[in-house]
Amino acid sequence: MALQRLIEYDDAAAEVRAVYDDILATRKTDYINNFWKALANDPAGLKRTWESIKQIMAPGALDPLTKEMIYIAVSVTNQCTYCIASHTDSAHGKGMTDEMFHELMAVVGMANETNRLAAGYQVEIDARYKVT
Amino acid sequence: MALQRLIEYDDAAAEVRAVYDDILATRKTDYINNFWKALANDPAGLKRTWESIKQIMAPGALDPLTKEMIYIAVSVTNQCTYCIASHTDSAHGKGMTDEMFHELMAVVGMANETNRLAAGYQVEIDARYKVT
Amino acid sequence: MALQRLIEYDDAAAEVRAVYDDILATRKTDYINNFWKALANDPAGLKRTWESIKQIMAPGALDPLTKEMIYIAVSVTNQCTYCIASHTDSAHGKGMTDEMFHELMAVVGMANETNRLAAGYQVEIDARYKVT
Amino acid sequence: MALQRLIEYDDAAAEVRAVYDDILATRKTDYINNFWKALANDPAGLKRTWESIKQIMAPGALDPLTKEMIYIAVSVTNQCTYCIASHTDSAHGKGMTDEMFHELMAVVGMANETNRLAAGYQVEIDARYKVT
Amino acid sequence: MALQRLIEYDDAAAEVRAVYDDILATRKTDYINNFWKALANDPAGLKRTWESIKQIMAPGALDPLTKEMIYIAVSVTNQCTYCIASHTDSAHGKGMTDEMFHELMAVVGMANETNRLAAGYQVEIDARYKVT
Amino acid sequence: MALQRLIEYDDAAAEVRAVYDDILATRKTDYINNFWKALANDPAGLKRTWESIKQIMAPGALDPLTKEMIYIAVSVTNQCTYCIASHTDSAHGKGMTDEMFHELMAVVGMANETNRLAAGYQVEIDARYKVT
């Protein structure tokens, strides 16, 4: 058994192909990336995950590029190499410049640093930040 | 010894007070939050950390609110309760609406989910994402 | 010096070989995986780690397959590629079906998502969950 | 503004109340926990998250208690105090005994340990674990 | 049932009391901290964990204070508030000065920052670091 | 565009070359590792990061080898493969023996284990550890 067998469009069952079609149409692309081809081994999981992502990443109060950069921030913090590669590619496709990428990395790095300083110094939450 | 003894402005040595003054001026506020008051136990660390944050969080290719939201994304991923509270407060101060916050949380949650799906399914990086 | 030099059975000192023999007997296998061969560079650490794992992974109130799936859940959350590969292999050997694996991944993904929503929304623990 | 304002049933809009009703019916309980009441500030997110969890946590190839224990394994690994408290409560409600909980903790602890040994010793993945 | 019921010395069964006695003797103290009292709900886990820690934290090629600081570095990185509090206390007891603590925090913060820069910039491992 | 394009000394702009020169002089080496060559795509970030690291890793209350081992402890906990490789190399260069490395790994592994036991058992912080 191959865990990460990638399900190609031509080999996909109808329910998987329907998700692939929606990905291609929504993203205006002709490329299905490996993440979806691996997840397609679980058609119900593929459909649920895609529909959530489709809803979450759509333009809203935040624009799609900002959402991609947030995705990168999380993926870098978690050391997810696949996700870093794929979302950095997506962000460039949505207009992220090198300068924006460098600033994004600087913020992500700094946040990871100060998260630990706050923990290590056991800083108590300021009264004014407390929600009542 | 009190680890997290908070150094108040009036009790601070000159080098600490200089950093506090710069924080107050840069942020146009009259409030120094506990993170800095705790870090002030290490004046060199306080100065280095503040100068890095000041440089990194300044307006640039990314606007200050986007940077705050990226800070929140990292802090939430790391479960840093202090940082979540303080940066959520800052982001609201810079114009984050409730709707923006909800979308931010949705992206952070989803990214944390798919980071693990990519890892668990051992998805190989697509050739097109590889940097050469 | 080779950090991860793998100590093969035939090259192993008596104390390492004794651990290898116990691994082979306990697991009813003829294969020592690389994790143990690397750890064998520290014979005391090898022995301590193996004895803990042997005790912890033995059948008890939880069956061995459930324990393997919990191991995978942690390894995926931590993005430990070696551990994901080896424990997924072990779990398949203990009867994990593809369907079980897909459900396992779905739960791990969802838990990683809601862990962040709970943190980001700063949800207070319900009084009824508090242990007194 | 109160970030984590908890939306009570009686104050909830119709779309939130519909989710609450489904939670109460599905879980055969009369209690909505704080996580949902906080998430209810984002009705679309509440609905999406609940529907995913409902689908994922339903009985399938894995039984509901096994799924709860996997949820705990992830939450403990991520240090999510809210999630640890709520899912430990749920697991006890589904039949987790103290002995099962102790074994669960032992596996989670051990996995977190060996995840780091595998990383620190830079152990290469065994050829036999590689998916082709 | 109280999950974290703390087992006091006077209420402890013989096997738990034997571990407590060894902790008190090894650490030359008259205080058992809450971690052990909680773990005592699982006597086998208590014994196994204590014996591993006793072996690992003993003086060796690294002195006990260095080991405590490494423990703090990990605990801060993982945001484990209990562990940060207890091991910082232990480290002070073993001679950690405020200056050492500040340098420790600075290194931990910086490492957490550059860990993410290395991931985000997708830096390839230098040939000379590769173990052969 | 190549994200991780490595900027070689001969191709570097004056401000990048100045940082490289300082790295070479401070570390008494003739080798710039890939981390810096990648970061050099952001000259301001390169300079800020190097100056912070230079200050933090200098001999102080903690010696440089202890600091490298703390760096490794964090990198292993975060599963940062690049950082594990480069800092393990640095630590060996500063005198870390195999025995020290094994003890370091043992402490890092154990801390990652007990961090989760403390979280999972929801251990309350002992009154004596609380800072007032």
Side-chain angles (χ1 to χ4, degrees):
Chain A
M1 199 219 66
L3 239 199
Q4 65 184 131
R5 190 166 62 89
L6 301 176
I7 312 283
E8 300 297 336
Y9 189 93
D10 291 344
D11 306 325
E15 63 186 314
V16 166
R17 205 177 279 196
V19 174
Y20 283 4
D21 285 336
D22 195 31
I23 293 174
L24 296 172
T26 303
R27 295 188 164 172
K28 301 187 204 320
T29 179
D30 60 357
Y31 184 69
I32 299 285
N33 55 304
N34 289 353
F35 176 75
W36 302 112
K37 290 181 184 166
L39 209 55
N41 289 286
D42 173 19
L46 172 72
K47 185 171 152 62
R48 185 182 59 242
T49 306
W50 164 247
E51 287 180 354
S52 289
I53 284 199
K54 184 184 176 183
Q55 185 180 342
I56 289 168
M57 300 302 280
L62 301 178
D63 63 278
L65 175 52
T66 298
K67 290 182 175 183
E68 281 294 346
M69 291 191 295
I70 293 165
Y71 227 106
I72 293 171
V74 171
S75 303
V76 165
T77 298
N78 286 329
Q79 302 275 342
C80 178
T81 50
Y82 183 85
C83 314
I84 293 167
S86 63
H87 287 280
T88 300
D89 184 81
S90 295
H92 280 303
K94 288 178 180 158
M96 181 175 71
T97 64
D98 283 2
E99 203 184 352
M100 292 166 82
F101 175 72
H102 298 145
E103 294 191 10
L104 169 59
M105 285 303 102
V107 177
V108 169
M110 199 71 214
N112 271 289
E113 177 173 349
T114 58
N115 279 192
R116 273 62 184 209
L117 295 177
Y121 279 91
Q122 303 179 48
V123 185
E124 256 187 286
I125 298 184
D126 303 57
R128 66 166 59 188
Y129 297 153
K130 284 187 181 135
V131 177
T132 50
Chain B
M1 197 219 70
L3 239 197
Q4 65 183 130
R5 189 166 63 88
L6 301 176
I7 312 284
E8 300 297 335
Y9 188 93
D10 291 344
D11 305 325
E15 64 188 315
V16 167
R17 206 177 278 197
V19 175
Y20 284 4
D21 285 336
D22 196 29
I23 293 173
L24 296 172
T26 303
R27 296 188 165 175
K28 300 187 206 319
T29 179
D30 61 355
Y31 185 69
I32 299 286
N33 55 304
N34 289 353
F35 176 76
W36 301 111
K37 290 181 185 167
L39 209 55
N41 290 286
D42 174 18
L46 172 72
K47 185 172 153 62
R48 185 182 60 242
T49 306
W50 164 247
E51 287 180 355
S52 289
I53 284 199
K54 184 184 175 183
Q55 186 180 341
I56 288 168
M57 299 302 279
L62 301 178
D63 63 278
L65 176 52
T66 297
K67 290 183 176 182
E68 282 294 345
M69 291 190 296
I70 293 164
Y71 227 106
I72 294 171
V74 171
S75 303
V76 165
T77 298
N78 286 329
Q79 301 275 342
C80 178
T81 51
Y82 183 85
C83 314
I84 293 167
S86 63
H87 287 281
T88 300
D89 183 82
S90 295
H92 280 302
K94 287 176 182 163
M96 182 175 71
T97 63
D98 284 2
E99 202 184 352
M100 292 167 82
F101 175 72
H102 297 144
E103 293 191 11
L104 169 59
M105 285 302 102
V107 177
V108 169
M110 199 72 215
N112 272 289
E113 177 172 350
T114 58
N115 279 192
R116 272 61 184 212
L117 295 177
Y121 279 91
Q122 303 180 48
V123 186
E124 257 188 286
I125 298 183
D126 304 58
R128 68 167 58 187
Y129 297 152
K130 284 188 180 134
V131 177
T132 49
Chain C
M1 199 219 67
L3 239 198
Q4 65 183 129
R5 190 167 62 89
L6 301 176
I7 313 284
E8 300 297 336
Y9 189 94
D10 291 344
D11 306 326
E15 63 187 313
V16 166
R17 204 175 280 198
V19 175
Y20 283 4
D21 285 337
D22 195 31
I23 293 173
L24 297 172
T26 303
R27 295 189 165 173
K28 301 186 205 318
T29 178
D30 61 355
Y31 185 68
I32 298 285
N33 55 304
N34 289 353
F35 176 76
W36 301 112
K37 290 182 186 166
L39 208 55
N41 288 287
D42 174 19
L46 172 72
K47 185 172 153 62
R48 185 181 59 242
T49 306
W50 164 247
E51 287 180 354
S52 288
I53 284 199
K54 183 185 176 183
Q55 185 180 340
I56 289 168
M57 299 302 279
L62 301 179
D63 62 279
L65 175 52
T66 297
K67 290 182 175 183
E68 281 294 346
M69 291 191 295
I70 292 165
Y71 227 106
I72 293 171
V74 171
S75 302
V76 165
T77 298
N78 286 329
Q79 301 275 342
C80 178
T81 51
Y82 183 85
C83 314
I84 293 167
S86 64
H87 286 280
T88 300
D89 184 81
S90 295
H92 280 302
K94 288 177 180 158
M96 181 175 71
T97 62
D98 282 3
E99 202 183 352
M100 292 166 82
F101 175 72
H102 297 146
E103 293 191 11
L104 169 59
M105 285 302 103
V107 177
V108 169
M110 199 71 214
N112 272 289
E113 177 173 349
T114 58
N115 279 192
R116 274 60 184 211
L117 295 178
Y121 279 92
Q122 303 179 50
V123 186
E124 257 188 286
I125 299 184
D126 303 58
R128 65 167 59 186
Y129 297 153
K130 284 188 180 134
V131 177
T132 49
Chain D
M1 199 218 68
L3 239 198
Q4 66 185 129
R5 190 166 63 88
L6 301 176
I7 312 284
E8 301 298 336
Y9 189 93
D10 291 344
D11 306 324
E15 63 186 317
V16 166
R17 205 176 279 196
V19 175
Y20 284 4
D21 285 336
D22 196 30
I23 293 173
L24 295 172
T26 303
R27 295 189 165 172
K28 301 187 206 319
T29 178
D30 60 356
Y31 186 68
I32 299 286
N33 56 304
N34 289 352
F35 176 75
W36 302 112
K37 290 181 185 166
L39 209 54
N41 289 287
D42 174 19
L46 172 72
K47 186 172 151 63
R48 185 182 59 243
T49 306
W50 163 247
E51 287 179 355
S52 289
I53 284 199
K54 183 184 174 182
Q55 185 180 343
I56 289 168
M57 300 301 280
L62 300 178
D63 63 278
L65 176 53
T66 297
K67 290 183 175 182
E68 281 295 346
M69 291 190 295
I70 293 164
Y71 227 106
I72 294 171
V74 171
S75 303
V76 165
T77 298
N78 286 329
Q79 303 274 343
C80 179
T81 50
Y82 183 85
C83 314
I84 293 167
S86 63
H87 286 280
T88 300
D89 184 81
S90 294
H92 280 303
K94 287 176 180 160
M96 181 174 72
T97 63
D98 283 2
E99 202 183 353
M100 292 166 82
F101 175 72
H102 298 146
E103 294 191 12
L104 169 59
M105 285 304 101
V107 177
V108 169
M110 199 71 215
N112 272 289
E113 177 172 349
T114 58
N115 280 192
R116 273 60 185 211
L117 295 177
Y121 278 92
Q122 302 179 48
V123 186
E124 257 188 286
I125 298 183
D126 304 57
R128 66 167 59 188
Y129 298 151
K130 285 191 179 131
V131 177
T132 50
Chain E
M1 198 217 69
L3 240 197
Q4 65 184 128
R5 190 166 62 90
L6 301 176
I7 312 283
E8 300 298 336
Y9 189 93
D10 291 343
D11 305 326
E15 63 188 315
V16 166
R17 206 176 279 197
V19 175
Y20 283 4
D21 285 336
D22 196 30
I23 293 173
L24 295 173
T26 303
R27 295 189 165 173
K28 301 185 205 319
T29 178
D30 61 354
Y31 185 69
I32 298 286
N33 55 303
N34 289 352
F35 176 75
W36 302 112
K37 289 181 186 167
L39 209 54
N41 288 287
D42 173 18
L46 171 73
K47 185 171 153 63
R48 185 182 59 243
T49 306
W50 164 247
E51 287 180 355
S52 289
I53 283 199
K54 183 184 175 183
Q55 185 180 341
I56 288 168
M57 299 303 280
L62 301 178
D63 62 278
L65 176 52
T66 298
K67 291 182 175 183
E68 281 294 347
M69 290 191 295
I70 292 165
Y71 228 106
I72 293 171
V74 171
S75 304
V76 165
T77 299
N78 286 329
Q79 302 275 343
C80 178
T81 51
Y82 183 86
C83 314
I84 293 167
S86 63
H87 287 280
T88 300
D89 183 82
S90 295
H92 281 303
K94 287 176 181 160
M96 181 175 72
T97 63
D98 283 1
E99 203 182 353
M100 293 167 82
F101 175 72
H102 297 145
E103 293 191 11
L104 169 59
M105 285 303 103
V107 177
V108 169
M110 199 71 214
N112 271 289
E113 177 172 349
T114 59
N115 279 193
R116 273 61 184 211
L117 295 177
Y121 278 91
Q122 303 179 48
V123 186
E124 257 188 287
I125 298 183
D126 303 59
R128 68 166 59 188
Y129 297 153
K130 286 192 178 130
V131 177
T132 50
Chain F
M1 199 220 65
L3 240 198
Q4 64 183 131
R5 189 167 62 88
L6 301 176
I7 312 284
E8 300 297 337
Y9 189 94
D10 291 344
D11 306 325
E15 63 187 315
V16 166
R17 204 176 281 196
V19 175
Y20 284 3
D21 285 336
D22 196 30
I23 293 173
L24 296 172
T26 303
R27 295 189 165 173
K28 300 186 204 320
T29 177
D30 61 355
Y31 185 69
I32 299 285
N33 55 306
N34 289 353
F35 176 76
W36 301 112
K37 290 181 186 168
L39 209 54
N41 289 287
D42 173 18
L46 172 72
K47 186 172 153 62
R48 185 182 59 244
T49 306
W50 163 246
E51 287 181 354
S52 288
I53 284 198
K54 184 184 175 181
Q55 186 180 341
I56 289 168
M57 298 302 280
L62 301 178
D63 63 278
L65 176 52
T66 297
K67 290 182 176 184
E68 282 294 346
M69 292 190 295
I70 292 164
Y71 228 105
I72 293 171
V74 171
S75 303
V76 165
T77 298
N78 286 329
Q79 302 274 342
C80 179
T81 51
Y82 182 86
C83 313
I84 293 167
S86 64
H87 287 280
T88 300
D89 184 81
S90 295
H92 280 302
K94 288 177 181 159
M96 181 175 70
T97 63
D98 283 2
E99 202 182 352
M100 292 166 82
F101 175 72
H102 298 147
E103 293 190 11
L104 169 59
M105 286 301 103
V107 177
V108 169
M110 198 71 215
N112 272 288
E113 177 172 350
T114 57
N115 278 193
R116 273 61 183 210
L117 295 178
Y121 278 91
Q122 303 179 50
V123 186
E124 255 188 287
I125 299 183
D126 303 58
R128 66 166 59 187
Y129 298 152
K130 284 188 180 134
V131 177
T132 49

